Amino acid sequence: MKILHVITGLNTGGAERALLNILSGGLARSSNSVVLSLQDEGRIGLQIEGLGVPVYTLGMPGGLPGPKALKRLFQTVRDIKPDIIQGWMYHGNLAASLAGWLAPGSPAVSWNVRHSLYDIQAEKPLTRHVIKANSILSRLPQSIIYNSHLSRSQHEAFGFNRCDASVIPNGFDLNYLVPSQEGGQSIRCEFALPADSIVVGHVARFHPLKDHASFLRAAVQVAQRRPDVSFLLVGREVSPDNPALEGIIPFHLQERFTFVGERHDVHRLMQAMDIFCLSSTSEAFPNVLGEAMSTGVPSVTTDVGDSADIIGDTGVVVPPSSSALLAEGLLSLIGMSAQERRKLGVSARRRIKERYSLVAVVRQYEKLYEELVRREI
């Protein structure tokens, strides 16, 4: 079985990491997989190639097609001759359907929607058009995969085809994401975090939907009440100099906040956290929440996407866009003893193992692809 995965790009992001995870988690071994990026190879593409999976690129700026890119797409699918073409994200889904028309042998086409859809008007103009095109053409693929139940219900309410749809959540490698007291101490030393401080972590690239401003306002409220708490923020363009975040942290509290920018060892940074916080106003299935739980870190999350279902009773769920409620949620975990937080973290890791293990998620993809191939015979 040869599977061509068509994805918008391969820079750091949730969908890109999800593709890398299922390939490294067994799909690359159980099938003949190939990846096609509409843009460039990116950092994730290099890692995928490290698995022995070929990566092709079209070099489309912003994912927009041109004559050269379309010619290369035609040549690529003719050379690969896939049995299944799997789209990833809106642009990748449209390109996957186009590739299905161009490819020899009428391969099965599957889409993978990785986005929540609270309000179409909140999307960028081009993205709105692409989502609408996805909706109109959604009866063409033989399968539509969503990574969250909320995302499926939102898109089907918008007009996406309800038939042949399924939910396959993100999966987490518990052999890679592990708690480590020694690793946590190493990170604390690296950033001069007090050894006895309660460290609250936040991991997200800067984007309005990640709502860093609400997190910082909540963190300031916490810092004013708890002098034993420090904050570790990880993410591209996340800094106190960012105009959207400038001035939120009072000068006398700034030493309690550590900004480390974009990092590629987030699993290590999470080992130094006592509490993880997700402050987004929109998500489908947030990878970082599952990663923190896998690392044994209890979490506070806003009630977006499938976050409440993911976290269950192993953390705290609060409404989005409320720094006051986010602060109260953080304080509820901060008020626990270290032993109580560790116990909660153990429960969080167990929940991921029982519901979202990478092995089980890869098997769901394999079963789907086996069924798609049988239909085409």
Side-chain angles (χ1 to χ4, degrees):
M1 182 193 321
K2 181 173 284 189
I3 305 170
L4 173 62
H5 296 271
V6 182
I7 191 166
T8 306
L10 287 169
N11 289 314
T12 304
E16 296 87 340
R17 283 187 291 136
L19 173 56
L20 172 63
N21 286 344
I22 65 168
L23 289 170
S24 64
L27 192 62
R29 293 189 297 273
S30 64
S31 65
N32 188 352
S33 295
V34 180
V35 173
L36 173 64
S37 168
L38 302 185
Q39 298 175 355
D40 56 22
E41 190 175 47
R43 190 181 69 85
I44 299 294
L46 295 174
Q47 293 177 262
I48 290 174
E49 287 182 324
L51 301 173
V53 175
V55 175
Y56 294 78
T57 61
L58 296 185
M60 292 164 50
L64 295 175
K68 289 184 179 180
L70 292 175
K71 182 179 179 181
R72 291 175 67 183
L73 176 62
F74 175 78
Q75 292 173 337
T76 300
V77 295
R78 289 281 167 173
D79 291 341
I80 294 172
K81 299 180 178 65
D83 300 299
I84 296 171
I85 301 177
Q86 174 68 70
W88 289 76
M89 301 187 287
Y90 297 127
H91 291 80
N93 290 336
L94 295 181
S97 288
L98 177 58
W101 296 328
L102 297 175
S106 300
V109 175
S110 176
W111 285 5
N112 204 325
V113 177
R114 318 288 303 179
H115 190 66
S116 57
L117 192 58
Y118 288 90
D119 180 8
I120 187 69
Q121 296 305 319
E123 305 292 340
K124 295 178 181 179
L126 177 59
T127 303
R128 288 202 298 268
H129 291 306
V130 175
I131 294 173
K132 290 175 181 177
N134 271 241
S135 177
I136 294 168
L137 299 175
S138 63
R139 283 152 184 79
L140 298 178
Q142 284 72 49
S143 166
I144 302 178
I145 302 168
Y146 297 92
N147 69 336
S148 80
H149 293 281
L150 179 65
S151 176
R152 177 179 179 176
S153 64
Q154 289 174 333
H155 284 82
E156 289 181 350
F158 186 72
F160 277 59
N161 186 25
R162 297 173 181 270
C163 301
D164 298 312
S166 61
V167 176
I168 303 180
N170 296 342
F172 302 93
D173 185 352
L174 293 172
N175 294 317
Y176 174 72
L177 298 163
V178 295
S180 172
Q181 187 173 359
E182 181 180 344
Q185 289 301 325
S186 174
I187 292 296
R188 288 181 180 232
C189 290
E190 179 180 344
F191 296 110
L193 298 170
D196 58 349
S197 178
I198 298 172
V199 176
V200 175
H202 189 281
V203 179
R205 76 188 192 284
F206 179 76
H207 189 283
L209 295 179
K210 303 299 181 183
D211 203 2
H212 285 84
S214 283
F215 172 73
L216 288 180
R217 284 192 286 266
V220 168
Q221 295 176 51
V222 170
Q224 290 170 335
R225 294 169 63 175
R226 292 293 300 249
D228 57 340
V229 177
S230 299
F231 301 90
L232 179 63
L233 289 94
V234 186
R236 184 171 65 249
E237 298 181 15
V238 179
S239 77
D241 298 328
N242 185 315
L245 307 177
E246 194 174 7
I248 295 178
I249 307 171
F251 179 78
H252 70 284
L253 294 177
Q254 288 179 4
E255 65 178 8
R256 307 261 295 280
F257 291 78
T258 301
F259 295 81
V260 302
E262 184 175 15
R263 296 274 296 215
H264 304 312
D265 58 348
V266 171
H267 66 291
R268 291 184 60 242
L269 297 175
M270 286 180 168
Q271 292 171 347
M273 300 175 187
D274 296 292
I275 299 166
F276 175 77
C277 182
L278 185 134
S279 59
S280 301
T281 58
S282 176
E283 293 280 355
F285 188 111
N287 268 320
V288 287
L289 180 59
E291 290 168 356
M293 292 171 65
S294 299
T295 314
V297 183
S299 302
V300 176
T301 180
T302 47
D303 190 5
V304 291
D306 280 9
S307 294
D309 187 53
I310 297 166
I311 202 171
D313 59 358
T314 71
V316 177
V317 180
V318 300
S321 305
S322 173
S323 57
L325 292 177
L326 196 60
E328 290 303 317
L330 290 169
L331 287 166
S332 68
L333 292 188
I334 292 167
M336 293 181 173
S337 67
Q339 184 177 1
E340 289 172 324
R341 283 194 299 272
R342 281 194 293 270
K343 185 177 179 181
L344 204 58
V346 169
S347 297
R349 181 173 167 84
R350 184 186 308 119
R351 184 174 179 85
I352 294 296
K353 181 178 181 180
E354 292 172 351
R355 297 167 63 99
Y356 306 108
S357 75
L358 183 57
V359 172
V361 167
V362 169
R363 184 56 190 146
Q364 290 184 63
Y365 275 96
E366 290 173 338
K367 288 177 65 176
L368 173 64
Y369 294 150
E370 290 165 2
E371 173 61 25
L372 290 178
V373 170
R374 281 197 296 269
R375 289 188 205 171
E376 295 302 308
I377 296 175

